[in-house]
Every structure is written in C-alpha cells, then in structure tokens.
Amino acid sequence: MRASEDCMGLRCLICSDERNDRKQMPESTAPDNSMIRVFIGYDPREAVAFSVLAYSIHARATQAVSIAPLMLSQLAGVLTRERHPLQSTDFSFSRFLTPYLCNYSGWSVFMDCDMLMLDDIARLWKLRDDRYAVMVVKHDHVPKETVKFLGEPQTRYEKKNWSSVMLFNNARCRALTPEFVNAATGLELHQFKWLGNDDLIGALPACWNHLVGYDSPRQEASLVHYTLGGPYFDDYRQCEYSREWFAERDAMLRASATVKA
C-alpha cells in the first residue's frame, strides 16, 4: 500500500482518536524554537538506512535539528558491555545513553535507524510533556516469527518496540548512567524498569511509530518503522512503504549529485 502524497508533505494526517489524544497532551514549557536533538541508532549493516532517515528528517523539519548517530566506535570507553547473543543491532543498548550524552538536560529524541520520517519532526517535538520522564508509542506487539532481518533473532517481551522511538526528558532519566547501562539486563532497560514507575511513561500517538508488517496499513503514518527489515534488504524490497523509502533515497542521491555538480 502506498502512502498518499500528503504524507510526504509537512502535515500529519492522524486518525480522530490520535488527534484527540494529541489535543489532551500539554506541550512542554520549553520554547518551541529550541534545538531538536535527535539520536539515531547506527549499525554498519544499515548505514544506508541511517542516511535516508536523517535526510527524511531534515527535508521536512521546520525547526532546527541536530542529528547524531549512536556509533559504537564513538562510544569506546562509555559503552563497554559485551554483545549479547540476542542483541540484533549495535544500538540495542547504546540508545539508553541518550540522556547521558545530553548531560541530563533538556529533551532529546531517540529512534532506530530502520525508519522513514514522513512528517515534520517539530510536530513530534511539540508533544513533550514535563509530567513524564520518557514518552513512547505503547505498542501491544507480540511477534509471531523467531527470526528477522539478516537472520537475527526476534525476541518477545512486554513493551516490545516501546524503546524504538523515545522522547527523553533527560533530567528525569539520571538513572541511565553509563555504569547502569553497561550492567543492566536487556529487560531492565527495554521494559523501563529503571524508572521505578510506569506512570512516568507518557503515550505518543501511534502514527509516530508505525510498525510495518504488524500495524494495519495506514496512509497517515508520520514515522514508519521497518522493524522486520527495511526495503534496503532484498527480502523486504516489496514491503509496505517501500516505494516511499526508495523515493526518499533517490531524492537524497539527487540532492547529493546537485551539490557535486
């Protein structure tokens, strides 16, 4: 199913329930012109995914955005834990260093690299709510398969995929020290046990983490998540929103060619 042309513009077409949820969510007291700090998980096997996602964010943003890849080579001495057998990407745990990398100040956004932004990220940024330490799309995701892209293991646990997009209220995430992130179990981190209270987890509208292959097809997705595998892998070249991903890649390459010319 192909997204509508409007999805590629700067507006988020959300269903009525999500629109009502958004209206009820007070915005942060932080100024709207603050820098949007985005951290994207990086895995060298998905380098093209990172580049296309970053381009898609910048192409639609109406507010200043800084984007940093969470590369293990840049976190030497900070992230020291050994790779876990069930760890499917390089950024399975580095994502939880985002508040530390922001010196536990202000807000920040983390997202997996296997995504595509179809909306203005400033609209996501405006959903910050100081009542919460972190804000996520609260999926009820129970995968049926046991293997995903490149033969990596698929794991099942409560709050699956909640941590794939996170709005961090950094000052309220001081439990996420490098020492804790290096020592904690995967479930302690991904199930947000470090908060001590699930009431500190705010809910984002589902359009900000649309799970391709799991969520019912929708035309109003703002942030598409190729969680099983992106169209840059041969096995998933025909997945939902694959045309949009290839169109974004081509736009990025055209822009690059123009600069070189």
Side-chain angles (χ1 to χ4, degrees):
M1 181 175 182
R2 185 174 182 178
S4 67
E5 293 296 326
D6 284 344
C7 271
M8 302 301 291
L10 298 178
R11 61 195 183 99
C12 175
L13 303 176
I14 56 177
C15 66
S16 58
D17 288 343
E18 290 169 350
R19 185 180 294 112
N20 290 335
D21 288 344
R22 180 171 291 180
K23 287 179 179 179
Q24 294 170 7
M25 298 170 68
E27 296 178 4
S28 171
T29 55
D32 284 343
N33 62 353
S34 59
M35 175 72 75
I36 301 174
R37 294 182 289 184
V38 179
F39 293 79
I40 298 176
Y42 186 89
D43 190 307
R45 299 171 301 173
E46 297 182 280
V48 67
F50 167 84
S51 297
V52 173
L53 173 57
Y55 177 84
S56 71
I57 293 171
H58 282 305
R60 294 165 177 79
T62 59
Q63 194 168 326
V65 182
S66 67
I67 297 178
L70 288 176
M71 301 178 70
L72 294 185
S73 60
Q74 298 176 2
L75 295 171
V78 180
L79 189 70
T80 58
R81 64 185 297 154
E82 294 183 0
R83 192 179 185 95
H84 192 277
L86 295 179
Q87 183 177 340
S88 60
T89 67
D90 278 6
F91 50 88
S92 294
F93 301 112
S94 59
R95 70 189 68 203
F96 296 103
L97 291 172
T98 297
Y100 164 79
L101 295 172
C102 292
N103 199 28
Y104 304 107
S105 66
W107 284 75
S108 58
V109 182
F110 168 82
M111 60 183 69
D112 287 1
C113 68
D114 55 347
M115 295 187 170
L116 181 67
M117 181 65 73
L118 297 175
D119 200 352
D120 181 359
I121 195 171
R123 296 181 183 272
L124 172 62
W125 193 243
K126 287 180 180 179
L127 298 179
R128 292 163 294 156
D129 188 335
D130 287 321
R131 294 177 300 174
Y132 302 110
V134 64
M135 302 181 71
V136 303
V137 174
K138 296 184 176 182
H139 298 288
D140 182 15
H141 178 201
V142 182
K144 297 179 180 179
E145 69 285 343
T146 58
V147 178
K148 53 183 179 179
F149 63 89
L150 298 180
E152 291 291 350
Q154 177 69 282
T155 55
R156 303 175 186 175
Y157 55 88
E158 185 183 358
K159 299 185 177 70
K160 175 76 172 179
N161 257 315
W162 286 26
S163 60
S164 56
V165 176
M166 294 181 281
L167 261 175
F168 281 112
N169 189 353
N170 297 314
R172 303 187 69 178
C173 297
R174 291 183 179 273
L176 294 177
T177 62
E179 293 76 15
F180 180 79
V181 173
N182 281 315
T185 67
L187 290 182
E188 286 174 329
L189 291 167
H190 288 277
Q191 291 183 331
F192 301 89
K193 294 181 180 180
W194 45 273
L195 283 174
N197 187 344
D198 281 359
D199 291 342
L200 294 175
I201 308 173
L204 295 173
C207 64
W208 289 107
N209 194 351
H210 173 75
L211 301 181
V212 171
Y214 293 108
D215 292 341
S216 299
R218 67 174 79 200
Q219 292 189 339
E220 74 280 359
S222 295
L223 183 57
V224 173
H225 186 184
Y226 305 99
T227 184
L228 277 174
Y232 39 87
F233 294 132
D234 288 341
D235 290 344
Y236 302 97
R237 290 181 68 86
Q238 302 301 320
C239 68
E240 181 193 9
Y241 282 104
S242 61
R243 292 182 180 180
E244 286 72 21
W245 188 90
F246 284 113
E248 201 72 23
R249 182 204 61 179
D250 293 346
M252 178 185 71
L253 294 175
R254 286 195 299 271
S256 177
T258 300
V259 171
K260 289 180 180 179

